[in-house]
Amino acid sequence: MTKSVAFHSYKGGTGKTTIAANLAAYLAQNGQRVFLLDLDVYAPSLHTYFDKEPKVWLNDYLNVEGKRVKDILQDLSDLLPDASNGKLYAAFSNPKKEEINKLEAGSQNNSRLQLLRRFVELREELMEDFDADYLIIDTSPGIRHWSINSLAVADTILLTLKMGDLDVRGTKKMADEIYTSFTDFGAKSFLLMNRVDGFCLPSVHTDAVDNKTRPLTPDYLAQLSKDVGMGVLSSIPCYCDIQFSKREYLTILQYPDHPFAKQIESLANDQNIR
Ligand SMILES: Nc1ncnc2c1ncn2[C@@H]1O[C@H](COP(=O)(O)OP(=O)(O)O)[C@@H](O)[C@H]1O
Ligand SMILES: [Mg+2]
């Protein structure tokens, strides 16, 4: 059975793309057939982790009735040093402004509803014809049309929070307004705390509501989880080398012994992902 995991957040820059791409590579490396989909259609960046520009983008599939799923899939399996039967495919989203606009508003030829129908077709084809074990979906922050479409097809929603830059009230409101409509239908949602107690960021956080600075103690994090109404699936520290690197790369493939890679490994092996 295919599992769909979507990464979402309230604010931008929380680590969705980084963690999604690393998790996808780890799962593929461990024998799974993984399809990594860039549904951050408003500000796509997944392709920068792979240094690949596709000829046919995810947008083309959604916009053009005749486009085939196989045309938008980039086979990235050759990046995996030892994948046994695992496969890693990605569908990238086009960062060009006019392409973003077409998906945002729909176009003369394609209403938003038609685009959504194509997205559902894409998902079904990946599950049935491409025998996907995993769909890993990267989304845009906040309450946006394509984020909601993506969350609607997810079995597991990971709400990624970046420590030090939290908006607890906004996050809670978003979770209350949107997540419950999916979790009522059986999806599971969890918090994924990123950049906790690292060296790059101080272990404090400034509350967006009262502007007070509070330490990021385990008690604080437990209260946060209670406030937002979700369990914590993972707490990933901040690593300076990842934070300050000039370009994005997949730690899991380049430095498999890095502590960040170990964090991805334990996330992948969590019973809610496996
Ligand atoms: N645990 C971490 N430690 C250090 N840097 C991180 C960590 N997670 C993500 N980053 C960095 O933070 C930046 C934002 O991450 P990104 O995945 O692009 O966020 P999002 O997709 O949510 O906008 C990237 O430069 C990424 O390399
Ligand atoms: Mg991103």
Side-chain angles (χ1 to χ4, degrees), residues 9 12-19 45 49 138 194-195 236-239 242-243 248 260:
S9 64
T14 58
K16 291 182 295 299
T17 307
T18 312
I19 301 171
S45 69
Y49 288 69
D138 187 18
N194 191 22
R195 301 166 80 177
I236 303 178
C238 187
Y239 301 101
I242 298 177
Q243 160 121 340
E248 304 294 352
F260 180 81

Side-chain angles (χ1 to χ4, degrees), residues 69-84:
V69 173
K70 69 172 178 39
D71 298 331
I72 61 164
L73 291 178
Q74 301 284 305
D75 187 349
L76 304 169
S77 310
D78 57 344
L79 299 174
L80 309 170
D82 174 27
S84 52

Side-chain angles (χ1 to χ4, degrees), residues 134-260:
Y134 281 94
L135 306 184
I136 306 287
I137 308 175
D138 187 18
T139 74
S140 303
I143 304 176
R144 308 200 66 174
H145 181 65
W146 284 99
S147 305
I148 294 170
N149 291 347
S150 304
L151 300 182
V153 303
D155 305 305
T156 305
I157 299 170
L158 298 180
L159 172 53
T160 312
L161 296 175
K162 180 171 106 179
M163 296 303 125
D165 177 27
L166 287 173
D167 186 335
V168 179
R169 191 182 279 180
T171 303
K172 181 173 167 17
K173 191 158 179 283
M174 185 182 75
D176 289 346
E177 280 176 7
I178 308 205
Y179 284 34
T180 40
S181 49
F182 301 125
T183 48
D184 283 352
F185 285 101
K188 293 190 213 162
S189 66
F190 300 95
L191 292 179
L192 203 166
M193 313 266 201
N194 191 22
R195 301 166 80 177
V196 297
D197 63 6
F199 308 100
C200 327
L201 289 170
S203 295
V204 292
H205 117 88
T206 307
D207 198 300
V209 176
D210 60 12
N211 243 353
K212 283 202 174 126
T213 302
R214 302 204 172 81
L216 279 173
T217 58
D219 281 354
Y220 176 81
L221 297 181
Q223 185 61 43
L224 179 65
S225 154
K226 219 172 135 196
D227 286 347
V228 182
M230 278 180 226
V232 177
L233 196 64
S234 200
S235 289
I236 303 178
C238 187
Y239 301 101
C240 308
D241 51 336
I242 298 177
Q243 160 121 340
F244 297 116
S245 132
K246 282 210 181 68
R247 47 172 291 278
E248 304 294 352
Y249 56 87
L250 290 187
T251 308
I252 198 88
L253 299 179
Q254 289 205 14
Y255 307 105
D257 294 325
H258 193 290
F260 180 81

Side-chain angles (χ1 to χ4, degrees), residues 124-141:
E124 273 168 17
E125 227 177 286
L126 291 174
M127 288 166 70
E128 279 154 32
D129 303 344
F130 287 81
D131 212 11
D133 293 314
Y134 281 94
L135 306 184
I136 306 287
I137 308 175
D138 187 18
T139 74
S140 303

